Amino acid sequence: MGKWLRAAKKRHNRPESRTPVNRHADIPVSEHMQENMYHMKFVFSQAPDLIMRQFVIKQTGDQATLVYLDGLVDKNSINNNVLRPLQYETGTAENITVTIGCVEALSDWPDIENAIFQGYSVLFVNGRKEALLFDTQGWPQRAIEDPQIETSLKGAHQGFVETGSQNIAMIRRYIPNRELKVETIIVGRRGKTKVSIMYLSDVANKEVLQEFSDRIRQIDIDSVINTGEVAEMIEDNPYSPFPQFITTERPDAAVSHILQGRFAVVVDRSPSVLIGPVTFTSFFQSVDDYSTRWLTATFIRLMRFAGFLVAIFLPAMYISAISFNYEVIPLKLIISIGESRERVPFPPIIEALLMEVTLEMLREAGVRLPAPIGQTVGIVGGIVIGQAAVQAGIVSNIMVIVVATTAIASFIIPNYDMASAIRLLRFPMMLIASMFGIVGIIIGLMTLIGHLISLESLGTPYGSPLAPIRFADWKDTFVRLPLWKMINRPLSSRSVQLKKQGSNRPEGDGK
């Protein structure tokens, strides 16, 4: 953990911004209504969406004011469950009755202010030195839809949304068990964000949980906007191109990791969930691997690892073979390549960089444009530009084939963050190949392997189960054996309950 602590100190050892001191923060809630309303107007100055509705409580005859922010509350709940009982229903003078849950008394102004920003409504009653808090949250939400990035053929067609409570509920539907625990941490100075850690208490490692929660609590930021910010603030090596946590938008994928003994971090207002600790091979696993035949899943997974190597090293191998090590190319092929390159005025490295940068620009343009237009730009743009570049003599036919194969190989990777890291590593490999040939590629490969071995994710070796070698986890690494053979949880999750709850494969001959 020492590397992460040193990196965290560097990130957080900066002069803290001086926030304005609220002189009214220490003033208690007054029993006089006018003083409380004056304070509310001061705190929420220039907030036209602040609603202060004054009325008389029929049960007691007291003056009261209900305060909330328009747009963050459910108005039907306020009208039917708060205002109607207080204004029209009779009762005893000792009790104020409403038909809504989560009624709490607050006397501190910072708590009242935060509650209003969270979508609660606050009732001030003349003569009382406390305010009543009602759960009337009802901000705009979108419907649960099919995940946009992590598509699945046989998996569930529902993805996380921007409301943390709904995301937690979706995970609970998969694991309706009392051992599923939720630990909530408030992160951010200005925009206080709920960050919830979900895990199985009888499976997950408590030391990893403590490390996870300590890192999240040390985040010092104005506000957390999305899950990626949390991942970047708590990762062990912030300078590595490889992601050290999995971000997923699929509830079934998050549940699969929780059942393996890992932790899921739900960030309110973010449609993705953070998973840790993870290993390098975790990024090559998909939900569909466990819903298809194990032989088919094994073949697809092997293609992913092959695509990883092709996406990083194929352009570098092409540059090395053309510039330095052309003796390894068969004679007929080198003649064909020479004929293709006779009109190209650039060296192979310039040719490769030109095509790869153009490809990345087309890919990014396709992502940012609307879906129908984006697909058209990606396909038509690649065909038109590639063909025009070949006819103009800027690049060779073989280079177009290399770039297209590299792009297809990178698309096989199921995790977007890992695919982005592979796209980035392609360029230094091309540069070192242009300077040292095959020797440079081998040096780059050794450097890459050494870096992967040195990485950690919450203290878990990133290269596991390959480095350190753990043969027990190889059943679900390069291959995916039948589910009834994987009776143990992966050692990389560091779970305290290694064995799963039995095997579905009967003993004997299976008759």
Side-chain angles (χ1 to χ4, degrees):
M1 306 299 175
K3 293 190 296 183
W4 181 85
L5 289 175
R6 290 192 294 270
K9 288 180 179 179
K10 290 181 180 180
R11 289 197 295 264
H12 297 305
N13 272 344
R14 57 184 185 275
E16 296 184 0
S17 59
R18 298 183 178 272
T19 56
V21 179
N22 188 354
R23 295 174 300 170
H24 292 229
D26 298 330
I27 301 176
V29 175
S30 174
E31 62 181 0
H32 300 292
M33 179 70 66
Q34 293 181 350
E35 295 182 6
N36 293 331
M37 293 304 99
Y38 169 76
H39 180 82
M40 293 300 298
K41 292 179 181 179
F42 172 81
V43 172
F44 293 91
S45 60
Q46 295 183 347
D49 55 341
L50 181 69
I51 306 299
M52 294 188 296
R53 186 162 181 176
Q54 299 182 0
F55 59 94
V56 177
I57 301 176
K58 187 173 183 179
Q59 299 170 5
T60 62
D62 295 328
Q63 293 285 338
T65 302
L66 187 67
V67 182
Y68 57 89
L69 283 174
D70 190 20
L72 296 182
V73 297
D74 184 357
K75 294 182 180 179
N76 291 329
S77 178
I78 289 179
N79 293 329
N80 298 330
N81 301 326
V82 178
L83 293 177
R84 181 174 295 175
L86 293 178
Q87 288 182 288
Y88 303 108
E89 295 183 8
T90 59
T92 61
E94 290 79 14
N95 297 320
I96 297 178
T97 304
V98 294
T99 58
I100 195 170
C102 192
V103 179
E104 184 181 355
L106 299 178
S107 58
D108 296 330
W109 282 112
D111 295 338
I112 295 174
E113 179 182 348
N114 292 332
I116 293 177
F117 280 121
Q118 293 296 326
Y120 293 89
S121 58
V122 178
L123 179 67
F124 294 93
V125 181
N126 194 32
R128 292 198 176 197
K129 292 185 177 181
E130 59 184 11
L132 299 179
L133 183 67
F134 301 133
D135 186 4
T136 56
Q137 295 174 322
W139 50 78
Q141 303 179 30
R142 69 177 175 95
I144 297 175
E145 301 173 348
D146 196 12
Q148 299 296 318
I149 299 178
E150 298 176 71
T151 57
S152 174
L153 298 177
K154 293 187 176 181
H157 294 279
Q158 61 176 0
F160 290 120
V161 294
E162 287 77 12
T163 304
S165 58
Q166 288 194 22
N167 295 339
I168 293 175
M170 281 190 279
I171 294 177
R172 281 198 182 277
R173 284 202 61 199
Y174 283 92
I175 312 178
N177 191 282
R178 63 182 180 182
E179 299 297 338
L180 181 63
K181 306 298 183 182
V182 182
E183 179 179 331
T184 301
I185 303 172
I186 305 299
V187 179
R189 293 192 175 188
R190 297 184 182 273
K192 299 186 182 299
T193 305
K194 289 183 180 180
V195 178
S196 302
I197 305 176
M198 303 189 69
Y199 60 95
L200 290 173
S201 61
D202 60 337
V203 175
N205 191 305
K206 296 300 186 293
E207 294 181 359
V208 180
L209 171 63
Q210 186 64 40
E211 178 68 20
F212 215 156
S213 60
D214 287 346
R215 294 189 184 188
I216 294 176
R217 286 190 175 91
Q218 292 182 19
I219 296 177
D220 187 9
I221 194 172
D222 280 345
S223 180
V224 174
I225 306 300
N226 53 52
T227 307
E229 294 183 357
V230 177
E232 186 172 351
M233 296 293 287
I234 66 174
E235 60 188 3
D236 290 76
N237 191 337
Y239 300 104
S240 173
F242 293 102
Q244 292 144 59
F245 295 96
I246 292 178
T247 55
T248 178
E249 57 180 359
R250 299 189 61 88
D252 49 359
V255 168
S256 176
H257 287 289
I258 292 176
L259 292 174
Q260 291 178 358
R262 296 187 174 95
F263 300 85
V265 178
V266 179
V267 180
D268 195 20
R269 302 190 294 266
S270 176
S272 58
V273 167
L274 194 69
I275 304 295
V278 295
T279 61
F280 173 74
T281 57
S282 301
F283 294 91
F284 295 84
Q285 300 171 356
S286 172
V287 175
D288 285 333
D289 293 351
Y290 307 96
S291 57
T292 56
R293 298 286 296 170
W294 69 274
L295 287 173
T296 304
T298 297
F299 173 70
I300 294 174
R301 189 171 293 182
L302 290 174
M303 279 202 308
R304 291 173 187 156
F305 283 101
F308 167 78
L309 297 175
V310 169
I312 292 182
F313 296 107
L314 182 59
M317 291 294 296
Y318 169 79
I319 294 172
S320 172
I322 296 299
S323 303
F324 291 89
N325 310 100
Y326 45 84
E327 67 275 2
V328 301
I329 307 176
L331 181 60
K332 292 184 179 180
L333 180 59
I334 198 171
I335 292 175
S336 175
I337 294 175
E339 292 176 352
S340 174
R341 284 188 45 81
E342 64 179 351
R343 294 181 55 202
V344 179
F346 305 115
I349 179 61
I350 301 299
E351 180 187 12
L353 286 175
L354 181 63
M355 287 300 298
E356 289 291 348
V357 171
T358 304
L359 175 68
E360 294 301 325
M361 293 173 65
L362 282 172
R363 189 203 308 260
E364 194 67 19
V367 171
R368 304 304 169 190
L369 290 172
I373 303 177
Q375 295 177 1
T376 304
V377 169
I379 297 174
V380 177
I383 295 174
V384 172
I385 293 178
Q387 185 65 27
V390 170
Q391 292 180 354
I394 299 177
V395 296
S396 61
N397 288 323
I398 188 67
M399 173 48 74
V400 175
I401 295 174
V402 168
V403 170
T405 306
T406 304
I408 293 173
S410 64
F411 290 145
I412 299 177
I413 310 301
N415 185 272
Y416 177 79
D417 294 329
M418 179 58 70
S420 300
I422 293 172
R423 289 159 52 191
L424 179 64
L425 289 172
R426 186 184 307 155
F427 292 96
M429 286 296 176
M430 291 163 54
L431 292 175
I432 196 172
S434 68
M435 293 184 289
F436 305 105
I438 292 290
V439 176
I441 295 177
I442 295 176
I443 293 174
L445 177 61
M446 294 174 61
T447 304
L448 187 64
I449 294 175
H451 176 67
L452 288 174
I453 294 175
S454 66
L455 282 180
E456 290 184 348
S457 175
L458 291 175
T460 299
Y462 196 71
S464 175
L466 305 177
I469 297 178
R470 292 168 175 169
F471 291 108
D473 288 354
W474 283 32
K475 297 178 181 179
D476 193 23
T477 304
F478 295 109
V479 299
R480 202 277 280 174
L481 293 185
L483 294 176
W484 47 268
K485 277 191 171 293
M486 295 186 291
I487 60 175
N488 292 331
R489 294 184 174 88
L491 296 174
S492 59
S493 64
R494 299 172 63 183
S495 60
V496 296
Q497 188 183 102
L498 184 60
K499 188 176 180 180
K500 298 179 182 179
Q501 299 296 324
S503 172
N504 293 325
R505 185 68 173 181
E507 297 293 338
D509 56 4
K511 292 183 180 179

